[in-house]
Amino acid sequence: MKSEIENSTKGNKQTKNQINYSSEHKAYLKKTKRRKTLILSLQIGLLVAIIGLWELFAQVGLIDAFFTSSPSRMVETIIELANAGDLWIHIWTTLYEAILGFILATSIGVIVAILLWWSDLVRRVLEPYIVVLNSLPKIALGPLIIIWVGVGTKAIVVMAILITVVVTILSMLGAFLSCDKDKILVMQSMKASKFQIFRKLVMPNALPEFVSVLKINVGLTWVGTIMGEYLVSKAGLGYLIVYGSTVFKLDLVMASTLILCILASAMYLLVALLEKKVKTNH
C-alpha cells in the first residue's frame, strides 16, 4: 500500500513537470519577462544617468555644489559620519522610531476600523470626528504633543501615529464595508455569528486593501517620523537634516536625505514582497 502511494505521488510530480504550454502562452511569458527586464534596466539606467549628470555638472561648475552638493561629496560625508561612529546611532534612532510608529499606527487603525464596522451606531457617531481629525494639520499639534508626552522618542512616535492612523482607519473601514452584502446575508441565514462573518468573509475580502494600506503607511510613517524629529530630537536623520540646514552643511543634509530614501525604499520593498505573497495565495 505504501509503495502504491509513493508511486502515485511520483506519477503526479512527473505529470506536473511534463505540462506542455501552448506556443502562444510561451510567447506571452517570454514577452512579459522581456518587458520586466526592460523596465528594470530603464529604471537603473535612469538612476545612473541622474547621478552621473549631477556629479558632472557639479565638477564642471554648471551647478554650485555648495548649494546642491554632489554624489561624491555625499559619499564622503557618509564615510566621515561612519568613521566618527555617529552614523549608525542616527540611522538606528530613526529606523526604530519609524518601525515603532508604523506598527502602532497600523495596529491601532485596524482595531478602530474593526470596532467601527462592528457597531453601526458607533461608526455614525465617530465618523465625522475622524474626518475632521484627518483634515487637521498634524504639525499644529506639535507643541501639544511635547507638553503631553515630553520630548524624545515618545513625541516622535506619537507624531508618526497621528499622521498615519486616520488614513488606516478610513481605508480599512471602507474595505470592510465594501464586502458583498449578499454573502453576508447568506452567512447570517446560516446562523453565523458576527465574529465568524468577519473572520471568514470580511477580513479575507479586505486583505488586498490591507496590503495597500501598509504600502501607504510606509511613506506616511517616515513623513511623521522626520516631522517629529524636526520638532524634538537629539539624534536621528531628521536631526542631522535640521542641524545641517542650520549650519549650512548641505552635504550633510543631502547625505541624510539619501540614507532616508534607502531606508524607506527597503521598507517599501518588504511590504511589496508581502503583497506579492498575498496575491499568490489569495
Side-chain angles (χ1 to χ4, degrees):
M1 183 68 181
K2 184 177 179 181
S3 60
E4 289 178 3
I5 295 174
E6 290 177 351
N7 291 333
S8 176
T9 304
K10 289 179 181 177
N12 290 335
K13 289 182 179 178
Q14 289 175 356
T15 303
K16 289 180 181 179
N17 292 332
Q18 292 173 356
I19 292 175
N20 292 321
Y21 294 105
S22 65
S23 57
E24 291 82 3
H25 187 66
K26 287 181 179 178
Y28 170 76
L29 292 175
K30 198 172 182 180
K31 183 179 178 181
T32 303
K33 188 176 180 180
R34 281 202 306 264
R35 182 171 179 79
K36 288 182 179 178
T37 304
L38 175 63
I39 291 172
L40 181 60
S41 300
L42 289 174
Q43 288 174 335
I44 295 173
L46 179 61
L47 179 62
V48 171
I50 291 172
I51 293 173
L53 288 174
W54 186 3
E55 181 67 29
L56 177 63
F57 291 165
Q59 293 293 336
V60 300
L62 288 177
I63 58 176
D64 191 341
F66 177 78
F67 293 105
T68 63
S69 189
S70 69
S72 60
R73 292 174 65 150
M74 290 160 59
V75 171
E76 289 173 4
T77 302
I78 292 173
I79 293 173
E80 288 175 5
L81 285 171
N83 291 335
D86 296 332
L87 179 62
W88 306 115
I89 295 173
H90 292 296
I91 288 177
W92 168 246
T93 300
T94 301
L95 188 59
Y96 169 75
E97 292 163 349
I99 292 174
L100 186 59
F102 176 82
I103 293 172
L104 289 176
T106 303
S107 302
I108 294 169
V110 171
I111 291 171
V112 172
I114 292 172
L115 293 175
L116 294 177
W117 173 84
W118 199 278
S119 173
D120 182 69
L121 176 62
V122 174
R123 182 175 72 252
R124 291 179 182 277
V125 171
L126 295 184
E127 200 167 21
Y129 296 98
I130 294 173
V131 173
V132 170
L133 182 60
N134 187 46
S135 63
L136 180 68
K138 310 305 182 296
I139 192 68
L141 298 176
L144 291 176
I145 293 172
I146 295 171
I147 294 171
W148 290 339
V149 301
V151 298
T153 300
K154 287 183 180 179
I156 295 167
V157 171
V158 169
M159 177 63 76
I161 291 173
L162 285 176
I163 289 178
T164 309
V165 71
V166 180
V167 174
T168 304
I169 293 171
L170 294 176
S171 299
M172 290 309 301
L173 179 59
F176 294 153
L177 294 175
S178 68
C179 188
D180 194 328
K181 301 294 187 297
D182 293 333
K183 292 181 180 179
I184 294 177
L185 288 174
V186 170
M187 292 193 70
Q188 288 175 339
S189 68
M190 298 171 68
K191 306 301 181 182
S193 66
K194 197 153 191 176
F195 176 75
Q196 289 173 325
I197 293 172
F198 178 81
R199 186 169 65 89
K200 296 288 187 179
L201 179 62
V202 177
M203 192 61 198
N205 178 74
L207 195 56
E209 180 64 24
F210 174 68
V211 178
S212 298
V213 167
L214 291 181
K215 293 167 73 173
I216 294 170
N217 285 0
V218 168
L220 291 177
T221 300
W222 282 100
V223 170
T225 301
I226 299 305
M227 191 180 296
E229 289 186 345
Y230 282 175
L231 292 174
V232 284
S233 66
K234 295 181 180 179
L237 297 173
Y239 167 79
L240 289 180
I241 292 173
V242 173
Y243 172 75
S245 302
T246 304
V247 298
F248 282 93
K249 287 186 176 181
L250 300 186
D251 293 335
L252 181 59
V253 174
M254 296 301 292
S256 301
T257 304
L258 174 63
I259 296 171
L260 274 175
C261 291
I262 294 172
L263 293 176
S265 298
M267 197 168 169
Y268 182 87
L269 285 175
L270 289 175
V271 175
L273 289 174
L274 176 63
E275 180 184 32
K276 189 175 180 181
K277 188 174 182 180
V278 168
K279 285 183 177 179
T280 303
N281 297 330
H282 194 62

